[in-house]
Amino acid sequence: MIPNRIDPCILDKCSHLRARSVAAEHVLLSAQLDERFDPKTARRAGEIANVARYVKEWEQSEKALSELKQLLRDPATDTELRDLASEDISTTGEELSTLSVKLTSSLKPVHPFGHLPCLVEIRPGAGGSEAALFARDLLRMYTAFCARNGFHTSVLKLEEQEGAAGAGGSELPLQEVVLEVDAQGAYDLMRTEAGVHRVQRVPATESKGRTHTSAAQVMILPSFPTSISAEGSGEDDPGSDYYIDPSDVRVDIMRARGAGGQHVNTTDSAVRLTHLPTSTVVSVQDSRSQHSNRVKAWQLLRAKLAEARREAREEEIVKLRRSVVGVAKTGRGDKVRTYNWGQQRVTDHRSGITIHNLEDVMDGGNSLDKVMDSVRKWLGELEIQDLIAEEESAKTTGIRSKVER
C-alpha cells in the first residue's frame, strides 16, 4: 500500500526540530575543525552546511517577526511606524515560508547512488499485447524526456514479442527494453519512476470500443562506471573502488615469523594493515624489505576492499529490484501511476497529483516534469519522516539502556 501524504504541519514541526539538531552538530564539527583538520569531519560539515545556514536565517527572520508583532501590540507605536511594521510582517512571513521549504529540502537524505547515471528497464505486465505496446509508449516518453533535458541515452537491450503485430502493423510490442541515461544525477532525478504504470484505453485491435486496462513495470537502477581493470589503479580517486583514506588504516610493523631463512626473525620487516571502518586485516612478510612488504600489503588491502564494495553494490541492486513492487507484483492493482486515454488524464497515486494533459506527458513534456516533481517531493517528505522516526527510536533505545543499567 502506498503511504498517504504527510500532514504538512507535522512535517514542518519535525523538520525544524531536526534542523536545529543538525545545526548544533555543525557548530560542534566546525569547532573540531578549528582545532585539527580531519577529512571525514570536513566532509560531514560540508554536507550539513546548508542546513546550518538556513536555520540561522530562519531564527533571524523569526526574531524580526516577533519584534514587528511587538511593535503592533505596543499602544505607543505611531501610525506611520505601524504601517511600516505591517508591510515588514508580510515580507518576513514570506521569507519564513521560503526558508521552511529550503530547510525541508536540505534535510532530505542524500541517496548514495544519486549522483550516478541510471538504467531504465521496462517490461510489460498484465494485459497481454496491449501491455507490451504500452511499454513501447513508455520507452518513447522517457526517451523524449531525456532528449528535452539534454541527457544522452542509448538502448542497451531491446526484445520484441515474436509473432505479435503492432498497431497498424508498424511497431512490434516490446518484451523488454533497457535504456541507459548517461547523465550525472540521472538516478536521483528518475528513481521515483520505478513501479507499475497502468494504462486505460481502447486498444487499436478492439472492434467494440471497449476500454482495456493494462500495465507495464518500470525499474530504475543506478548505472555504475566500468570496473577498474588493473589492481592498484585509481588509488588517488575517492570515487574509485580502490581508494582508501590513509587515516582509516592502522599500520603495524613487526618481526616476521615462521620459516623464511636466517633474516626472517632478525628485522622488523613484516607489515600488517588494518582498515578500521571494516576491520579488514592483511599481513605480508614475504620479503626482507619492509618497503616491499608494505607495497604488497596495500595492494592486497585495496583489492579486498574493492571486491567488498562491488559485492555490496550488487546486493544493493538486488534490494532495489525487490523494493520497487515486489518480485511478482506487476499487476494492475499495484500501480503507482495511471494513464487514462479516455479522460486524457494522468494520476500519480503516491503524490496524488492529477494532470489533464496526457499528450504532453507522453511526449516527455513539462507536464511530465510536474508529475515527477510532485513524486520527488512526496518521497523527500517520506524520507525525512523516516529519518526523524529512526533518530527518535535510537534516543528511546539509548534512554532505556541507561535506565536498565
Side-chain angles (χ1 to χ4, degrees), residues 121-126 131 134-135 138 141-142 190 192-200 213-220 324-325 330-332 334-339 346-350 362 368 371-372:
E121 297 184 1
I122 306 172
R123 296 181 181 87
F134 179 56
L138 290 178
M141 179 183 79
Y142 289 127
M190 299 188 68
T192 52
E193 291 301 288
V196 173
H197 294 236
R198 181 178 70 171
V199 60
Q200 296 173 325
T213 300
S214 307
Q217 182 184 2
V218 175
M219 192 80 70
I220 307 294
V324 176
V325 288
T330 56
R332 305 176 188 92
D334 303 300
K335 75 278 184 183
V336 295
R337 189 176 300 159
T338 294
Y339 305 75
V346 175
T347 298
D348 195 284
H349 304 286
R350 296 162 294 181
M362 299 310 296
L368 179 58
V371 176
M372 292 173 67

Side-chain angles (χ1 to χ4, degrees), residues 136 157-162 172-178:
R136 187 178 286 279
K157 179 181 181 181
L158 192 150
E159 293 182 4
E160 297 173 326
Q161 289 189 351
E162 295 182 5
L172 292 175
L174 285 181
Q175 184 66 38
E176 180 185 4
V177 64
V178 179

Side-chain angles (χ1 to χ4, degrees), residues 330-399:
T330 56
R332 305 176 188 92
D334 303 300
K335 75 278 184 183
V336 295
R337 189 176 300 159
T338 294
Y339 305 75
N340 187 296
W341 252 249
Q343 299 173 8
Q344 287 294 292
R345 167 180 63 84
V346 175
T347 298
D348 195 284
H349 304 286
R350 296 162 294 181
S351 66
I353 190 173
T354 292
I355 287 184
H356 291 276
N357 194 347
L358 177 63
E359 184 178 353
D360 189 52
V361 170
M362 299 310 296
D363 286 341
N366 292 328
S367 296
L368 179 58
D369 282 339
K370 291 178 183 177
V371 176
M372 292 173 67
D373 287 345
S374 73
V375 183
R376 281 195 295 272
K377 182 180 179 182
W378 166 83
L379 181 61
E381 292 173 353
L382 201 63
E383 289 175 336
I384 292 170
Q385 188 186 49
D386 289 344
L387 186 64
I388 293 170
E390 287 176 9
E391 290 187 350
E392 289 300 318
S393 176
K395 287 179 183 177
T396 303
T397 303
I399 294 170

Side-chain angles (χ1 to χ4, degrees), residues 269-341:
S269 59
V271 177
R272 182 174 65 203
L273 303 180
T274 304
H275 187 247
L276 300 176
T278 61
S279 299
T280 304
V281 180
V282 297
S283 300
V284 176
Q285 61 176 30
D286 298 344
S287 172
R288 298 178 185 179
S289 165
Q290 183 191 120
H291 173 73
S292 178
N293 287 335
R294 184 188 291 265
V295 170
K296 290 180 181 178
W298 274 100
Q299 281 184 329
L300 283 172
L301 184 61
R302 292 185 198 281
K304 280 192 173 187
L305 292 181
E307 182 63 25
R309 287 163 181 165
R310 282 193 288 266
E311 289 178 358
R313 282 204 303 267
E314 289 170 2
E315 290 176 4
E316 189 64 27
I317 290 293
V318 172
K319 289 179 184 177
L320 285 170
R321 286 182 181 277
R322 290 175 177 170
S323 67
V324 176
V325 288
V327 176
K329 290 184 178 180
T330 56
R332 305 176 188 92
D334 303 300
K335 75 278 184 183
V336 295
R337 189 176 300 159
T338 294
Y339 305 75
N340 187 296
W341 252 249

Side-chain angles (χ1 to χ4, degrees), residues 215-235:
Q217 182 184 2
V218 175
M219 192 80 70
I220 307 294
L221 299 170
S223 178
F224 293 104
T226 305
S227 298
I228 300 168
S229 56
E231 288 188 5
S233 59
E235 295 176 3

Side-chain angles (χ1 to χ4, degrees), residues 29-50:
L29 294 177
S30 298
Q32 292 175 359
L33 288 171
D34 288 340
E35 295 179 4
R36 183 176 65 87
F37 179 80
D38 176 71
K40 283 187 175 179
T41 304
R43 185 161 51 249
R44 174 58 180 166
E47 288 173 356
I48 61 176
N50 279 340

Side-chain angles (χ1 to χ4, degrees), residues 83-159:
D83 291 341
L84 290 173
S86 296
E87 292 178 6
D88 286 345
I89 281 178
S90 178
T91 303
T92 306
E94 291 176 1
E95 289 176 356
L96 282 171
S97 179
T98 302
L99 284 170
S100 180
V101 173
K102 288 181 177 180
L103 262 179
T104 301
S105 178
S106 66
L107 286 171
K108 179 183 173 183
V110 177
H111 195 285
F113 301 147
H115 64 288
L116 293 171
C118 73
L119 300 176
V120 181
E121 297 184 1
I122 306 172
R123 296 181 181 87
S129 61
E130 174 60 18
L133 288 170
F134 179 56
R136 187 178 286 279
D137 290 337
L138 290 178
L139 170 62
R140 191 181 299 110
M141 179 183 79
Y142 289 127
T143 303
F145 169 80
C146 291
R148 186 170 60 83
N149 285 279
F151 301 157
H152 178 264
T153 60
S154 56
V155 176
L156 302 184
K157 179 181 181 181
L158 192 150
E159 293 182 4

